[in-house]
Amino acid sequence: ADGELIRWRKLVLATGSRPIVPPIAGVDLPGVYTVQKDVGYLNRLLEAVAQAQDVVVIGGGLIGLELADELRKRGRRVTVVEILRRCLELVYDDDLTERAEQELARLGINVRTGARVTAIEGDGKVKAVRLDTGEQLRADLVVLSVGAQPNVALAESAGLCLVDGGIWVDRYLRTSNPDVFAAGDCAAKTSYLTGMPAATRLASTATAEARVAGANLFQLRREFPGVVGVYSTKIGDLAMGLAGLGERAASAVGLSYVVGTAEAPDRHPASMPGAKLLKVKLVFTRHSGQLIGGQAYGGDSVGELINLIAVMVQRRMTAEDIATFQMGTHPALTASPVTYQLSNAAEMALVVLQG
Amino acid sequence: ADGELIRWRKLVLATGSRPIVPPIAGVDLPGVYTVQKDVGYLNRLLEAVAQAQDVVVIGGGLIGLELADELRKRGRRVTVVEILRRCLELVYDDDLTERAEQELARLGINVRTGARVTAIEGDGKVKAVRLDTGEQLRADLVVLSVGAQPNVALAESAGLCLVDGGIWVDRYLRTSNPDVFAAGDCAAKTSYLTGMPAATRLASTATAEARVAGANLFQLRREFPGVVGVYSTKIGDLAMGLAGLGERAASAVGLSYVVGTAEAPDRHPASMPGAKLLKVKLVFTRHSGQLIGGQAYGGDSVGELINLIAVMVQRRMTAEDIATFQMGTHPALTASPVTYQLSNAAEMALVVLQG
């Protein structure tokens, strides 16, 4: 931007994404924010939070709900407005979204699902949010969290190929100019499991791509096999995660699948201090018995448990493989070996697959 | 035992193991206990604990240290005597055993390593433990935790083949009588990684064997590929785990190996409440680059993280596979995607393997 010229032999585009601003009346009013990865902007948002009593978060995805939870911890009255039938519906199956909404209710966060915002109202400053039901929600701060889109301005002006709104890349993460790589939210993605376009925007995916692009700069050494997608979150005391395809995603692509579920306390016996119910659901293709995804909710151990499911997906393990895999257990750290959720969910799926 | 006759077509021996009682003078004195899976016996031990002030635990393995930690929580003065150079030396490499001994010191548990008990002393009741240094440790309760041996009395009297002190089984977990199966501590074991005899006595291994033996009763449907061995524990605030072979075990069988290590807080950023340092070590064979084991210590997430390492061992993943596997991360649940310990430990090993 300042005219300096930097010569390059290889170039990596990591221009990320920017928040989508929906075309709603009043969206430009002072007091309306997005969630941006910009420290100066976030500090101004924090100052606005300090002045606010009633906050409306538009969008009940991962970012919206985690933000709502943080605002709740700071004592704000928070309402989340979600246009879909349930919060987190684009990420998780209904069993998890229902559990998340229970937790939001327990935390005192108001949630309006199936509701569309028709206008943000105010006179020189935001005062309320109007819903399509006609209802008016009081608000002295509004945060938009309705998703992000790849930031492709530079790539587009350089004449690189775009696809699905992102920068096209090959499996080595080269763009249409083989000396230019792209990684992260700005790069178009395909699903590891279906080969179809995937709108995944995750720091963990960006990092996985960076490990491939970085290795390939001067010699092709690694391939990116497509996005698995591992979404973990924590709202209040509830940790949740998904790796790969849920039931909804499997249905959407026309896969016939079999599900196995299991639940047990995440300590043993259940009377151990801090024990929480940990529930696992595994999704297998009917034709191959291979794991294509899994979901879990429970305590903090879900963070690594979902990565365990993720590696099982990536190694294309079958229900039989998972039922017989050898794990370790400890009273203070996991379920008992008899109730271990992954093994038992796989056994339940085998009953159907082999029935 | 009461003369009742139960007819059977298929029989499963799950007779477990019993604590080893070392041939030490005074071992029969009142006030000397072992750790047995017998509720009546354990209740008598609890009563003895209630009366005791000074407890000496003989044996600093997993059982001994977990017991010592529980006794410490109940306000007892506890000394652990370990004949080897370090506590847990038969399970973990030195990096973990050193960290464990630091935690024991922090908790106020006395530890005497490299020390042999020559006698348990007392007059009608235990009063002290004598070490080979001549030193006398005051004790009104002594607990022996020096290991367990397979309970093979019934199998032996039935004329079944024994090996390495356990009941010989084939890979379907049939004994030398094909209608009789054996699973758990009573059954002899071989290592998944080396094919050599393994003295693993773990509830999780027993359960994995049970899933195989149970499936095979009337038709051979599953094979047991040998013991991986996943040892997780928690002492004080420190969780630790090992899956597969450590460096010491790899050296002992003559494998040339390469190690990669990485450490980072288990939340991100490190200022997140509850964040603890989580350190991972991965061990790869030099000739194949395949993972043969891993160790970790940190907070409670180690319980599932070590299972993630265990599945990577069982799927024979290489350092390259692990460096590029796609995981999920979350500020409240894991390291950041840039510092994720498994990926970075694998990258560090690759520097050596590819160097």
Side-chain angles (χ1 to χ4, degrees):
Chain A
D2 66 0
E4 192 191 354
L5 193 71
I6 302 175
R7 296 185 180 282
W8 53 271
R9 280 179 56 206
K10 302 287 178 175
L11 186 69
V12 181
L13 294 173
T15 50
S17 56
R18 50 183 149 208
I20 293 170
V21 177
I24 301 172
V27 85
D28 294 326
L29 276 172
V32 180
Y33 289 79
T34 54
V35 181
Q36 299 187 13
K37 288 176 187 165
D38 173 329
V39 173
Y41 185 91
L42 289 172
N43 279 331
R44 291 197 296 282
L45 173 55
L46 270 179
E47 284 163 27
V49 168
Q51 306 297 321
Q53 279 303 317
D54 294 281
V55 185
V56 171
V57 176
I58 301 179
L62 290 167
I63 302 282
L65 295 191
E66 291 181 7
L67 182 79
D69 192 24
E70 292 302 320
L71 293 166
R72 186 265 315 171
K73 288 181 196 163
R74 288 164 191 256
R76 302 296 169 267
R77 283 190 296 266
V78 185
T79 302
V80 175
V81 182
E82 168 57 51
I83 198 167
L84 297 175
R85 203 174 42 96
R86 290 199 176 277
C87 288
L88 299 174
E89 190 170 301
L90 292 182
V91 184
Y92 299 133
D93 286 343
D94 281 352
D95 32 10
L96 260 75
T97 60
E98 282 171 26
R99 186 67 193 80
E101 289 187 2
Q102 279 171 22
E103 184 69 6
L104 292 166
R106 191 186 72 80
L107 297 169
I109 295 172
N110 299 312
V111 176
R112 302 295 171 91
T113 50
R116 196 165 61 82
V117 172
T118 53
I120 300 171
E121 300 176 344
D123 188 11
K125 187 182 180 319
V126 64
K127 285 207 176 127
V129 167
R130 180 76 66 177
L131 303 185
D132 55 356
T133 56
E135 192 183 0
Q136 198 188 39
L137 303 173
R138 195 165 154 164
D140 31 31
L141 174 64
V142 170
V143 186
L144 302 167
S145 59
V146 300
Q149 59 196 358
N151 190 354
V152 296
L154 185 61
E156 198 165 16
S157 68
L160 298 177
C161 289
L162 303 184
V163 59
D164 298 318
I167 304 169
W168 178 87
V169 287
D170 63 18
R171 67 175 56 184
Y172 310 103
L173 300 184
R174 297 181 297 190
T175 68
S176 48
N177 176 336
D179 290 323
V180 180
F181 293 72
D185 281 4
C186 66
K189 302 182 197 317
T190 54
S191 162
Y192 171 78
L193 290 151
T194 68
M196 294 165 69
T200 312
R201 317 240 184 276
L202 285 168
S204 54
T205 300
T207 307
E209 290 174 334
R211 290 180 189 274
V212 173
N216 286 344
L217 285 178
F218 295 98
Q219 189 184 5
L220 299 185
R221 294 168 53 206
R222 288 181 174 170
E223 296 185 20
F224 190 75
V227 176
V228 175
V230 187
Y231 294 85
S232 50
T233 189
K234 188 174 179 187
I235 300 164
D237 291 333
L238 178 72
M240 289 181 282
L242 170 141
L245 303 181
E247 290 187 76
R248 191 182 297 112
S251 287
V253 293
L255 280 166
S256 179
Y257 63 85
V258 165
V259 158
T261 63
E263 60 180 67
D266 61 1
R267 309 259 186 284
H268 65 280
S271 56
M272 286 287 286
K276 288 184 183 165
L277 184 71
L278 171 61
K279 184 167 180 176
V280 166
K281 178 173 74 175
L282 300 178
V283 182
F284 301 90
T285 55
R286 193 180 288 274
H287 63 282
S288 68
Q290 278 181 358
L291 185 70
I292 52 172
Q295 287 171 74
Y297 68 75
D300 289 355
S301 65
V302 165
E304 297 297 355
L305 181 74
I306 204 68
N307 288 339
L308 173 45
I309 294 176
V311 81
M312 289 173 160
V313 168
Q314 285 163 83
R315 302 310 285 183
R316 301 187 180 279
M317 286 173 72
T318 64
E320 182 74 22
D321 293 332
I322 298 170
T324 57
F325 108 96
Q326 294 176 54
M327 75 299 180
T329 56
H330 187 272
L333 303 174
T334 68
S336 88
V338 175
T339 62
Y340 191 72
Q341 297 88 349
L342 288 177
S343 318
N344 287 352
E347 294 277 20
M348 293 308 292
L350 281 173
V351 171
V352 183
L353 285 164
Q354 299 178 343
Chain B
D2 67 0
E4 192 192 354
L5 193 72
I6 301 175
R7 296 185 181 281
W8 54 271
R9 280 177 58 204
K10 303 286 178 176
L11 186 69
V12 181
L13 293 174
T15 50
S17 56
R18 50 184 148 208
I20 293 170
V21 177
I24 302 173
V27 84
D28 294 325
L29 276 172
V32 179
Y33 288 79
T34 54
V35 181
Q36 299 187 11
K37 289 177 186 163
D38 173 327
V39 174
Y41 186 90
L42 289 172
N43 279 331
R44 290 197 297 281
L45 173 54
L46 271 179
E47 284 163 27
V49 169
Q51 308 295 321
Q53 280 302 318
D54 295 280
V55 185
V56 172
V57 176
I58 301 178
L62 291 166
I63 301 282
L65 295 191
E66 292 181 5
L67 183 79
D69 192 24
E70 292 301 320
L71 292 166
R72 186 265 316 170
K73 288 181 196 164
R74 289 165 190 255
R76 301 296 169 267
R77 284 191 294 267
V78 185
T79 302
V80 175
V81 181
E82 169 57 51
I83 198 167
L84 298 174
R85 203 174 41 96
R86 290 198 176 277
C87 289
L88 299 175
E89 190 170 300
L90 292 183
V91 184
Y92 300 132
D93 285 343
D94 280 353
D95 33 9
L96 261 75
T97 61
E98 281 171 27
R99 187 65 194 82
E101 288 187 4
Q102 279 172 20
E103 184 69 6
L104 291 166
R106 191 186 72 80
L107 297 169
I109 295 172
N110 298 311
V111 176
R112 303 295 171 90
T113 51
R116 198 166 59 82
V117 173
T118 53
I120 300 171
E121 301 176 344
D123 188 10
K125 188 183 178 316
V126 65
K127 285 205 177 131
V129 167
R130 180 77 65 177
L131 303 184
D132 54 358
T133 55
E135 192 183 2
Q136 197 188 40
L137 303 173
R138 195 164 154 165
D140 31 31
L141 174 64
V142 170
V143 186
L144 301 167
S145 59
V146 299
Q149 60 196 357
N151 190 353
V152 296
L154 185 61
E156 198 165 16
S157 68
L160 298 176
C161 288
L162 303 183
V163 59
D164 298 317
I167 304 169
W168 178 87
V169 287
D170 63 18
R171 68 175 54 182
Y172 310 102
L173 300 184
R174 296 181 299 190
T175 68
S176 49
N177 176 336
D179 290 323
V180 180
F181 293 73
D185 282 2
C186 65
K189 303 183 197 317
T190 53
S191 162
Y192 171 78
L193 290 151
T194 67
M196 293 165 68
T200 313
R201 317 239 184 275
L202 286 168
S204 53
T205 300
T207 307
E209 291 174 332
R211 290 180 190 274
V212 173
N216 287 344
L217 285 178
F218 295 98
Q219 190 184 6
L220 299 184
R221 293 169 53 206
R222 288 182 174 168
E223 295 185 21
F224 190 75
V227 176
V228 175
V230 188
Y231 293 83
S232 49
T233 189
K234 188 174 179 187
I235 300 165
D237 290 334
L238 177 71
M240 289 181 283
L242 169 141
L245 303 182
E247 290 188 75
R248 190 182 298 113
S251 288
V253 294
L255 280 167
S256 178
Y257 62 85
V258 166
V259 159
T261 62
E263 60 181 66
D266 61 0
R267 309 259 187 283
H268 65 279
S271 55
M272 285 287 286
K276 288 184 184 167
L277 183 71
L278 172 61
K279 183 165 180 178
V280 165
K281 179 173 75 174
L282 300 178
V283 182
F284 300 90
T285 55
R286 192 179 289 274
H287 64 281
S288 69
Q290 279 181 358
L291 184 70
I292 53 173
Q295 286 171 76
Y297 69 73
D300 290 355
S301 65
V302 165
E304 296 297 354
L305 181 75
I306 204 67
N307 289 338
L308 174 45
I309 294 175
V311 81
M312 288 173 160
V313 168
Q314 285 163 82
R315 302 310 285 184
R316 301 187 180 280
M317 286 173 73
T318 64
E320 182 75 21
D321 293 332
I322 298 170
T324 57
F325 108 96
Q326 294 175 54
M327 75 301 178
T329 55
H330 187 273
L333 303 174
T334 68
S336 89
V338 175
T339 62
Y340 191 73
Q341 298 88 350
L342 288 177
S343 317
N344 287 353
E347 295 277 21
M348 293 309 292
L350 281 173
V351 171
V352 183
L353 284 164
Q354 298 178 344

